[in-house]
Amino acid sequence: MKKFVTIRDVAATAGVSINTVSRALNDKPDINEETKKRVLRVAKELGYVRDATALSLRYGLTRVVGVIFEDSSNPFFSEVFKGIEMKARENGFSVILMNTEKDYNVEEEAIRTMISRRVDGIIITPTQEMSQDIEFLANISIPSVILGVHFDKLKLPEVHTDDVTGGFLATDYLIKKGRKRILLLNGLSYKSVARMRFEGYKKALKNNGIEFTDELVYEISEGVESAYSKTKELLLSGLDFDGMFCFNDIFAIGAIQALKEYGERIPQDISVVGYDDISYAKYISPALTTIAIDKILEGQTAFELLLESIEAKAKVPAREIVLDVKLTERRSA
Amino acid sequence: MKKFVTIRDVAATAGVSINTVSRALNDKPDINEETKKRVLRVAKELGYVRDATALSLRYGLTRVVGVIFEDSSNPFFSEVFKGIEMKARENGFSVILMNTEKDYNVEEEAIRTMISRRVDGIIITPTQEMSQDIEFLANISIPSVILGVHFDKLKLPEVHTDDVTGGFLATDYLIKKGRKRILLLNGLSYKSVARMRFEGYKKALKNNGIEFTDELVYEISEGVESAYSKTKELLLSGLDFDGMFCFNDIFAIGAIQALKEYGERIPQDISVVGYDDISYAKYISPALTTIAIDKILEGQTAFELLLESIEAKAKVPAREIVLDVKLTERRSA
DNA sequence: TTGTAAGCGTTATCAT
DNA sequence: ATGATAACGCTTACAA
């Protein structure tokens, strides 16, 4: 059933040898114009399409890059992916996308799959609980870029946003709005991103002469539900706070939900700032004030950095690209 | 720089021939247990990883499927993709994802890329303005599945949801809530989905003895902005309506935004029903009543249908799988 | 039980 | 200007 037209078929019907066909197809100089035209015509008539798998074997290059995300349906990742795919397409690369579902074993498996498929490069957002597989990635010869997280010892090129500044901006804004007791609903601290935003938070507090107290910082695992129930719990416990800086917009959405149900007015009673500026941030109510990051750009940058490594003959020293963030002011704070 | 351990390297260090290595690796019976163990150990030590590109060439099968979407960052597609990727991974397939950005030329180009890469199957959500490329897909020997849309003459297997029922459910619900003049903010009618939902809308009207009038149906192009401004325009024009059925949740979000700004109370003054039940539908305000479709399931089903075609020796007759929808009741209607 | 050789589709090298 | 052949990594007859 599955049978493609090969260079041999074209050669046969055009009455030439296979490498004359190859020459015509690749627009090589040493071929008669007439023959070339004829071969090209025959190729078209027969519906010939170059076999990329043969080329991959031949050159040891696939023109495929692998992307490994924890969850491609997360609006953050799905936008980043768009940036990657866009740039990849422009450069004649295809992209294989795999999800790890935050499972370390799946992540390892995904890396093995990418190696087996001989992808020319890998863009990965590693689960940071363990990182042997990243060490491993750094040692094999496939160019790789870490996206969205920062490792202390820079083994691989990285692209991420300036999250210390982001945390600072969010907190400082809340303070400027007159908030004194700012709750930080953070992500789990094994994530560099969470640690960086926390650092920015503390920095803003210090800058404004507000004393830090850890009774106002909480770490929760991913998901709206998780943010919703934590906020509810805190509210019920009688914790006193008038501002909230959420690790991401998804947390903010859950928190706002809980706040409203509890009868708090936003931002009059409690101001809320999120992070990421996912596309729905402006449609929730009140419209979310948040730290905006250019996700498409982050994806594009990651691909471009990867492409540099791929095209470099020698191993290129690991670079860290830190993208700017800015605060987008809306109604929640 | 890029150099992988091959079966030959393993053979050399283990002191056997290459196909003895192949036998060991593939767990064939005709090999000495001892040799097998040794080969396997050497392979592991050397870090041997099977070269999938070589296998692809050898077998004429890549174990890769291609997915072509108009926009993978759209929450609908990103969830569908998750279902596809999940099932693909379970079955040892990798997935190449490409976006067309609703550009027909890009769509054609994407198909060519998939053919060139010799993917074993294609899942595509075609732009329906033109469809020669789908005709083409039906004629080549790569198994393909159409996702989310329905073509009149069934050339290829299809997976989509029961949108006539969806349109009916939404409209009927609004009527049962006492609404008489229900505005339909529909997608462009070259899309089968829009036509189906429209059909359901009319059916519900008829069933409830309400006369249809085309001054209440409008077709707009994709995007929140587009829905927002159309709604605004209609409101300003003084059009009388007390209910709104939106083609999708994104439209509903834009519409609600406009409605609120205009001072309409939802659902007291105007009830709104959306479509898709994207994950943020429940967090907008008021929480959106919408037609829910199981997007993960839709993706999984598409992959499974594709797998059937791939595994079938002979060309399998095109089937149409229609998935159920249900109404999810929240606050907006 | 093990090894040799052909072949998958292509391009590069070397002849002619 | 064109053709024959080897090679990419692997599996599968077939031979030993």
Side-chain angles (χ1 to χ4, degrees), chain A residues 4 7 11 16 43 51 74 77 90 150 169 197 200 205 231 238 241 246 265 267-268 274 288-289 325-326 333:
Chain A
F4 293 93
I7 206 178
V16 293
D51 185 336
N74 173 314
F77 291 118
E90 272 174 28
H150 168 66
L169 254 29
R197 290 176 198 177
L205 252 33
T231 308
F241 62 101
C246 298
R265 290 167 310 157
Q268 297 89 332
L288 194 62
T289 293
V325 300
K326 65 179 220 295

Side-chain angles (χ1 to χ4, degrees), chain A residues 7-8 22 28 48 58-59:
Chain A
I7 206 178
R8 245 176 278 273
S22 177
K28 297 277 158 136
Y48 171 82
R58 177 74 237 257
Y59 289 121

Side-chain angles (χ1 to χ4, degrees), chain B residues 9 11 17 25 34 36 66 101 192 216 253 283 300 318 323 330:
Chain B
D9 301 325
S17 77
L25 257 20
E34 281 306 301
K36 180 156 142 188
E101 288 157 13
S192 61
L216 285 176
I253 288 172
Y283 299 111
Q300 291 175 324
L323 266 21
R330 295 207 184 89

Side-chain angles (χ1 to χ4, degrees), chain B residues 169-189:
Chain B
L169 252 31
T171 313
D172 190 65
Y173 179 83
L174 284 164
I175 298 170
K176 294 290 185 320
K177 287 276 175 182
R179 304 297 148 168
K180 304 279 183 224
R181 290 185 56 83
I182 298 163
L183 181 68
L184 170 58
L185 199 59
N186 207 6
L188 269 10
S189 68

Side-chain angles (χ1 to χ4, degrees), chain B residues 159-174:
Chain B
V159 177
H160 59 85
T161 48
D162 184 355
D163 285 355
V164 176
T165 299
F168 178 85
L169 252 31
T171 313
D172 190 65
Y173 179 83
L174 284 164

Side-chain angles (χ1 to χ4, degrees), chain A residues 71 73-78 222-224 248-254 257 276 278-285 288, chain B residues 73-76 78-79 249-250 253 256 276-290 295 330:
Chain A
D71 175 10
S73 76
N74 173 314
F76 172 79
F77 291 118
S78 71
E222 296 286 316
V224 224
N248 61 31
D249 291 349
I250 307 207
F251 280 9
I253 288 171
Q257 177 98 331
D276 283 352
I278 60 177
S279 55
Y280 297 96
K282 57 160 121 21
Y283 300 111
I284 64 164
S285 161
L288 194 62
Chain B
S73 76
N74 174 314
F76 172 79
S78 71
E79 286 213 44
D249 291 348
I250 307 206
I253 288 172
I256 285 177
D276 282 353
D277 196 18
I278 60 176
S279 55
Y280 296 96
K282 58 160 120 23
Y283 299 111
I284 64 166
S285 163
L288 194 62
T289 292
T290 185
K295 294 164 283 297
R330 295 207 184 89

Side-chain angles (χ1 to χ4, degrees), chain B residues 43 61 64 109 140 154 165 176 184 245 272 279 282 291 294-295:
Chain B
L61 291 174
V64 172
E109 178 62 27
I140 60 166
L154 191 66
T165 299
K176 294 290 185 320
L184 170 58
F245 167 34
V272 179
S279 55
K282 58 160 120 23
I291 302 296
D294 190 335
K295 294 164 283 297

